[in-house]
Amino acid sequence: MLVLPGALPIFNMLVLMNYFRGLPSEIEEAAVIDGASAWVMMVKIMVPLAIPSIATVTLFSIVNHWNAFFDGVIYINSGTKKPLQTYLQSLVIDQSQFMNMTAEERQRLEELTSKNFNAAKLLVSMIPILAVYPFLQRFFVTGLVLGSVKS
């Protein structure tokens, strides 16, 4: 259910469209002269040239979906199916849990401030993005197409 509202992010589509428009037309002309069909040209020439832009859009999508806690609040009613960000946002100790605690547990809980709790939530929510980013960073290279065509 969370996939449908963001099925086609317009910003990502514009990034890819402008990248493909920025590719030199001489590359396409050279492929046509060599006898490449439209599919071969797309799969063997255009997509490999667009890997940095595809990696950028992939990173944008991953970060966007990872940080979208409000989508889980709006679209999902079941507590067991909520995404991690929605669960982290809803981690608040209600009064019934507080009343069932022993005096020792209450004292330990009172020693923790909300700043500590918020810092822990932020750290937990950043770990997957920090794990994915180094693998996508190598694609953020400018001038990939500069050496392929002389105008």
Side-chain angles (χ1 to χ4, degrees), residues 76-149:
I76 297 179
N77 295 331
S78 172
T80 60
K81 296 180 182 177
K82 288 187 177 180
L84 178 63
Q85 295 297 333
T86 305
Y87 173 71
L88 289 175
Q89 188 267 339
S90 67
L91 277 179
V92 177
I93 298 176
D94 61 88
Q95 291 298 328
S96 64
Q97 289 178 341
F98 190 73
M99 293 300 166
N100 294 334
M101 291 182 177
T102 64
E104 193 175 297
E105 289 174 335
R106 286 183 194 171
Q107 184 179 5
R108 274 190 271 148
L109 183 64
E110 288 172 1
E111 290 173 4
L112 293 175
T113 64
S114 63
K115 288 182 181 180
N116 292 343
F117 189 60
N118 289 337
K121 287 192 295 187
L122 288 172
L123 181 67
V124 167
S125 67
M126 288 184 340
I127 290 172
I129 298 300
L130 291 175
V132 169
Y133 185 76
F135 296 108
L136 294 176
Q137 183 186 14
R138 66 184 174 122
F139 293 111
F140 300 133
V141 179
T142 58
L144 185 67
V145 185
L146 292 178
S148 64
V149 176

Side-chain angles (χ1 to χ4, degrees), residues 28-45:
E28 185 178 346
E29 291 172 5
V32 169
I33 289 172
D34 287 343
S37 67
W39 284 102
V40 170
M41 192 178 346
M42 183 183 78
V43 171
K44 292 190 176 182
I45 297 171

Side-chain angles (χ1 to χ4, degrees), residues 65-77:
H65 286 293
W66 184 255
N67 290 331
F69 76 91
F70 196 61
D71 293 345
V73 172
I74 293 174
Y75 299 123
I76 297 179
N77 295 331

Side-chain angles (χ1 to χ4, degrees), residues 5-73:
L8 181 64
I10 302 302
F11 179 74
N12 294 346
M13 184 185 67
L14 290 173
V15 168
L16 284 174
M17 183 179 68
N18 286 329
Y19 185 83
F20 282 114
R21 283 186 179 169
L23 290 175
S25 61
E26 288 85 5
I27 294 174
E28 185 178 346
E29 291 172 5
V32 169
I33 289 172
D34 287 343
S37 67
W39 284 102
V40 170
M41 192 178 346
M42 183 183 78
V43 171
K44 292 190 176 182
I45 297 171
M46 296 299 177
V47 170
L49 287 175
I51 286 178
S53 131
I54 293 170
T56 303
V57 166
T58 302
L59 185 66
F60 286 166
S61 295
I62 289 171
V63 171
N64 184 29
H65 286 293
W66 184 255
N67 290 331
F69 76 91
F70 196 61
D71 293 345
V73 172

